Amino acid sequence: MGQMKRYLPLAILGLLAILPLVGLSTYALHILIMVIMWSIVGMAWNLLGGYCGQVSFGHAAFFGVGAYTAGIIYAKGGASAWWGMPLSIVFVSVFAMVIGFICLRLRGPFFALATLAIGVILRVTAENLTSLTEGDLGIMIRERTWIEKTWYFYVVLTLAAITFYLVKRVIESRLGYYFVAIREDQDAAESLGINTTLYKTVALCLSAVFTGLAGAFYTNYMGYIDPKVVFALHDISIVTIMVVMIGGVATFWGPVIGSVIMVLLAEVIRSIPRLGAAHHTFFGILLIVIIIFLPNGIMGDMPKLKRMMRIGKPV
Amino acid sequence: MTPLLSVRNVSMFFGGLAALHDVSFSVAKGEILGLIGPNGAGKTTLFNVINGFYRPSRGNVFFKDQRISHLRPNKICGLGVARTFQVVKPLQRMTVLDNVIASAFLRSRTKAEAVRTATEVLDFTGLLADKDMLSRGLPLGKRKRLEIARALATAPELILLDESFAGLNPSELNESIQIIKGIKNRGITIMIIEHHMKVIMAISDRIVVLNYGERIAEGAPSEIRADPLVITAYLGVDENA
Ligand SMILES: Nc1ncnc2c1ncn2[C@@H]1O[C@H](COP(=O)(O)OP(=O)(O)OP(=O)(O)O)[C@@H](O)[C@H]1O
Ligand SMILES: [Mg+2]
């Protein structure tokens, strides 16, 4: 059992890696890419919100900065948008440090509100800083690297595998213990010799960097970004939180499961003609239902779910 | 010999209230110093000042001749001053072992080392059998001991114990007294706040008495017991407790 659990991530990775070889439709491949991209963002948010307890309502800010790093390097720097991936690590971590300096002195709901504001401020800034971002026109990547989606799939899969591995390593190390200690009781953590300001900043930067990488990938993959899309409160920041909450806060697999559910659900809802426009409403209701019935998400409430399944079955 | 800890003319104001007023005393290396006083006398406030949660309104605190009253709690803990909380603060959704590992990391380079320290400390405090329990599931007596275990895992030179005995039954009380003696035998200096008169008189080398934020007496247990100021302020009303 323990052995099986250890190799489960590798088995899943291997399985995913051979999937394109069996000949998936372009649409199926697109859905898969989206699921994997959202897993990355979810895992990143989980590091800060789930383990360290600093709930962010503004992760679109980091996603957007990553996406625009790739976009601007292409549109203004004349370089390949792929350079956005390594460069976003630098820009996003510097940006996150500034945000951390401003927001991390706030606790609980105040931090959440501050991140919410940061997300909005960034969207408005991107809309108005037209000399750099082209404003509402957005940035279009004209030369696509690949016509086929297969290679994008492998890029995002690699990124997800690295993220999963690093998050697991971090959480099982000193950092992970410090993050959870801070989440559980900041005063206690401080009195145990933990520099809470420093480690909250570390959690924020790590979380932001992975989110930014997903953003930079998004630019390359979609070939078009504008402020309303990549800095979106609903479609990025809130969806990120839902991915983690549905899957299971502070669990390794929660964000993965959550993103499968959220991406598929979004597709289904959008395909229903009348309901499509109201998908925000639907997601909102779903979030409330989850908070009430599965407050720990699918992974966190696994024992409870299993019990519910057993009810009605003959013993 | 210079004292391990010295509190010099410390005052702490909350609005108009002087929770501490011009308090001075020192703690020698290796001793057990009892801190007593009626409810609201300022005992916990004094710990919060020493530990860095509060910056004193006036006065200074020195640890091994270094001024610490401007440092953050994590720095002060790093220098070798650990504390427990009167209102316990377990890291609720962590196991007992993980609670202690989190604090053992302060002096450990590797996780294996932190686990070793934590296990040793849990054994010492009699919590090893509960190590895999989530700490929020522990009964109060054991939570109080978890506070002590966590503080010990930071390998302090001075440990501040805030009412670690309150709410314990007689057998738990005995166990905790043995633990305190064991801590002293390890060469760790102890400052302890306690309402239980018999216990504090029995284990303290010296006692400091606070009343309305002022230090009204200091001395050996026998002297404190005979001090008329203390008797009226504190023991008089509490003789049979
Ligand atoms: N953060 C604070 N803000 C305002 N007043 C405070 C604060 N902390 C303590 N006080 C006040 O300071 C006084 C001393 O409180 P403290 O908790 O130090 O007493 P104590 O001696 O530990 O009492 P007890 O035996 O009940 O634990 C009390 O009047 C308390 O209300
Ligand atoms: Mg108190």
Side-chain angles (χ1 to χ4, degrees):
Chain A
M1 183 62 199
Q3 278 305 86
M4 223 182 83
K5 242 185 166 167
R6 250 190 92 183
Y7 292 111
L8 188 66
L10 280 179
I12 290 178
L13 182 64
L15 210 67
L16 284 170
I18 56 171
L19 258 186
L21 304 179
V22 303
L24 288 175
S25 71
T26 310
Y27 176 69
L29 209 49
H30 170 70
I31 296 299
L32 214 50
I33 289 171
M34 283 294 115
V35 166
I36 296 171
M37 190 195 82
W38 276 109
S39 308
I40 296 169
V41 181
M43 287 188 274
W45 187 93
N46 205 18
L47 205 52
L48 178 69
Y51 291 101
C52 198
Q54 311 300 307
V55 173
S56 151
F57 276 84
H59 256 46
F62 307 122
F63 187 86
V65 170
Y68 267 97
T69 304
I72 292 169
I73 208 74
Y74 168 83
K76 304 290 161 183
S80 159
W82 287 111
W83 282 106
M85 306 249 314
L87 279 174
S88 73
I89 298 177
V90 180
F91 284 115
V92 173
S93 45
V94 170
F95 172 63
M97 258 183 257
V98 175
I99 300 299
F101 184 76
I102 300 168
C103 298
L104 281 175
R105 60 189 71 210
L106 305 169
R107 288 193 185 189
F110 300 103
F111 173 77
L113 281 176
T115 56
L116 183 77
I118 300 270
V120 176
I121 290 167
L122 255 94
R123 197 199 69 228
V124 175
T125 308
E127 279 168 359
N128 291 295
L129 208 66
T130 43
S131 60
L132 201 59
T133 63
E134 309 289 349
D136 285 331
L137 277 179
I139 292 175
M140 172 88 83
I141 310 289
R142 283 170 216 291
E143 304 86 19
R144 307 301 309 284
T145 318
W146 301 296
I147 314 291
E148 292 269 324
K149 292 195 188 299
T150 316
W151 287 107
Y152 292 102
F153 170 81
Y154 283 121
V155 170
V156 80
L157 185 62
T158 308
L159 190 58
I162 293 171
T163 307
F164 186 93
Y165 174 75
L166 288 180
V167 166
K168 200 157 157 33
R169 281 295 294 267
V170 163
I171 290 312
E172 285 166 357
S173 73
R174 172 196 306 263
L175 278 179
Y177 279 86
Y178 284 4
F179 291 170
V180 177
I182 290 169
R183 176 188 78 195
E184 292 299 308
D185 195 313
Q186 202 170 310
D187 287 336
E190 186 82 20
S191 78
L192 297 175
I194 300 171
N195 185 338
T196 54
T197 314
L198 171 68
Y199 288 99
K200 283 197 291 185
T201 311
V202 171
L204 177 69
C205 284
L206 285 172
S207 177
V209 162
F210 291 119
T211 309
L213 278 167
F217 168 80
Y218 181 89
T219 305
N220 281 281
Y221 173 62
M222 298 303 274
Y224 172 77
I225 50 169
D226 78 36
K228 288 208 171 44
V229 173
V230 297
F231 287 114
L233 172 61
H234 294 104
D235 290 334
I236 307 280
S237 294
I238 305 287
V239 169
T240 302
I241 297 173
M242 291 188 64
V243 159
V244 183
M245 286 213 60
I246 290 175
V249 174
T251 62
F252 290 126
W253 289 103
V256 180
I257 289 168
S259 61
V260 172
I261 292 173
M262 281 302 290
V263 170
L264 292 182
L265 208 62
E267 285 304 308
V268 170
I269 294 171
R270 279 191 197 118
S271 68
I272 303 171
R274 289 267 170 85
L275 215 70
H279 72 280
H280 288 156
T281 319
F282 187 84
F283 281 177
I285 293 169
L286 180 69
L287 185 59
I288 292 168
V289 170
I290 292 281
I291 290 171
I292 293 173
F293 293 103
L294 293 177
N296 301 311
I298 290 173
M299 288 305 287
D301 281 324
M302 206 49 125
K304 191 169 154 190
L305 274 173
K306 279 186 182 154
R307 245 181 294 125
M308 271 157 49
M309 303 287 211
R310 237 174 278 133
I311 292 173
K313 273 190 198 166
V315 188
Chain B
M1 202 183 92
T2 60
L4 186 66
L5 182 89
S6 97
V7 173
R8 296 185 200 160
N9 309 100
V10 163
S11 296
M12 184 78 223
F13 303 112
F14 295 112
L17 175 84
L20 293 173
H21 188 249
D22 200 25
V23 174
S24 299
F25 66 92
S26 54
V27 187
K29 192 169 169 50
E31 74 172 337
I32 297 184
L33 183 85
L35 182 61
I36 63 173
N39 290 113
K43 306 180 295 293
T44 300
T45 303
L46 182 59
F47 272 16
N48 283 334
V49 167
I50 296 172
N51 144 270
F53 274 129
Y54 298 154
R55 194 165 293 195
S57 315
R58 270 191 224 136
N60 289 299
V61 180
F62 292 84
F63 181 67
K64 296 200 282 188
D65 282 337
Q66 181 186 350
R67 189 165 84 94
I68 58 168
S69 34
H70 61 294
L71 298 177
R72 298 241 322 233
N74 69 293
K75 276 273 162 54
I76 292 173
C77 180
L79 289 174
V81 181
R83 74 169 292 178
T84 68
F85 291 95
Q86 176 177 1
V87 180
V88 291
K89 292 180 182 292
L91 307 172
Q92 307 234 23
R93 285 171 291 176
M94 283 173 113
T95 64
V96 168
L97 179 63
D98 285 346
N99 261 268
V100 186
I101 291 176
S103 69
F105 263 122
L106 180 67
R107 314 266 183 226
S108 311
R109 256 172 297 124
T110 64
K111 186 168 169 185
E113 208 178 317
V115 174
R116 220 179 308 125
T117 307
T119 310
E120 191 269 323
V121 165
L122 283 178
D123 189 33
F124 175 74
T125 48
L127 287 170
L128 201 52
D130 303 294
K131 73 177 166 63
D132 295 321
M133 265 206 18
L134 282 188
S135 65
R136 70 168 156 199
L138 284 182
L140 181 70
K142 285 180 174 171
R143 284 196 215 188
K144 291 259 176 191
R145 253 185 286 153
L146 178 58
E147 289 280 324
I148 299 176
R150 243 174 20 187
L152 281 177
T154 65
E157 283 183 62
L158 170 66
I159 189 168
L160 312 173
L161 303 173
D162 196 345
E163 301 203 16
S164 300
F165 297 154
L168 301 191
N169 65 38
S171 88
E172 286 175 329
L173 195 63
N174 241 335
E175 227 171 322
S176 289
I177 292 172
Q178 291 315 312
I179 291 171
I180 306 291
K181 287 185 173 154
I183 296 173
K184 183 179 175 170
N185 284 339
R186 290 178 162 209
I188 299 170
T189 309
I190 301 169
M191 223 182 127
I192 180 167
I193 296 175
E194 193 45 64
H195 280 300
H196 211 292
M197 274 310 131
K198 272 213 193 88
V199 175
I200 202 86
M201 292 292 172
I203 63 174
S204 301
D205 296 309
R206 262 179 343 117
I207 292 175
V208 167
V209 188
L210 284 183
N211 192 27
Y212 291 113
E214 290 188 55
R215 196 203 66 180
I216 57 166
E218 178 177 350
S222 55
E223 295 166 338
I224 295 299
R225 218 182 273 123
D227 191 310
L229 261 178
V230 178
I231 291 169
T232 47
Y234 193 73
L235 296 179
V237 286
D238 224 7
E239 191 87 313
N240 304 314

